Amino acid sequence: MLLPSRGADSVLLETARLRLDSLRGEDAQALFAYRADPSVSRYQGWRPTSPDETVRFIEREQAVAFDTPDSWFQFALRLRDSGELVGDLGLHFVNADTVEFGVTLSPAQQGRGLAAEAVRAVLALVFDSLKRHRVYASVDPRNLACVKLLERLGMRKEAHFRESWREGDIWVDDVIYAMLAGEWSARM
């Protein structure tokens, strides 16, 4: 069940097992622990190098209002029962019509369907409440679990950019998966 509510400076979504809300200062240690884990960070655009960098990241995120054009808003993914931070999901409000997203889960929580649950909630928010036209995700094609997730959610592969960004000393590919509002509503 999706329960979107909007306070003065935050958005809350609830699903059967998750609560999606804003990152808080006390999340820094857990966020750093899974985001700095090499099994998680190998496909991420942001890899914290220290707990202090993670604190600064959260402080910057707290200063961003939800749905600000050309900005990112980072949801904390928390287990509803315990409040434990198990992941995060970023929304990039590209323009008035388009939103990009990316999702990250703690290794201990992967394989349980939590990412799919979180992304479905966010797709409902973006298409049903915010009335956006297009949502997309950029993914390293080596990240097979994420590719399978996006396909399972009904997203289409739109592009495959060869060696489009540098990761250290190597060039890596980038694949774009997208969904349009009409495709979302047809799935319901």
Side-chain angles (χ1 to χ4, degrees), residues 33-187:
Y34 70 79
R35 278 289 193 139
D37 182 319
S39 70
V40 173
S41 67
R42 68 180 166 201
Y43 300 125
Q44 298 289 320
W46 177 67
R47 299 172 185 99
T49 57
S50 70
D52 287 343
E53 181 183 348
T54 308
V55 168
R56 289 189 300 275
F57 173 81
I58 291 172
E59 288 170 349
R60 282 191 308 272
E61 288 302 311
Q62 290 173 332
V64 177
F66 184 77
D67 201 6
T68 300
D70 197 27
S71 72
W72 282 88
F73 178 87
Q74 207 75 17
F75 278 109
L77 306 182
R78 304 179 196 285
L79 295 178
R80 274 185 72 173
D81 294 340
S82 67
E84 174 190 356
L85 180 72
V86 296
D88 58 277
L89 190 152
L91 288 181
H92 177 204
F93 295 98
V94 178
N95 57 41
D97 300 314
T98 304
V99 175
E100 175 184 10
F101 76 91
V103 63
T104 306
L105 276 182
S106 164
Q109 302 297 330
Q110 294 175 8
R112 300 178 48 208
L114 294 173
E117 191 171 317
V119 172
R120 275 189 204 98
V122 166
L123 289 174
L125 172 71
V126 169
F127 287 127
D128 299 338
S129 298
L130 300 178
K131 305 297 183 194
R132 292 305 201 276
H133 176 68
R134 181 174 180 269
V135 171
Y136 73 93
S138 167
V139 62
D140 185 319
R142 299 172 297 173
N143 188 346
L144 297 179
C146 187
V147 167
K148 288 177 184 177
L149 166 70
L150 298 173
E151 290 175 350
R152 199 168 54 249
L153 292 171
M155 297 186 76
R156 287 174 287 98
K157 182 177 175 180
E158 282 193 336
H160 185 139
F161 299 105
R162 304 273 303 155
E163 298 183 6
S164 62
W165 56 281
R166 186 184 290 272
E167 183 179 280
D169 294 339
I170 64 169
W171 286 94
V172 295
D173 291 2
D174 184 29
V175 176
I176 304 299
Y177 278 84
M179 180 180 281
L180 300 174
E183 294 166 328
W184 170 256
S185 62
R187 293 182 56 81

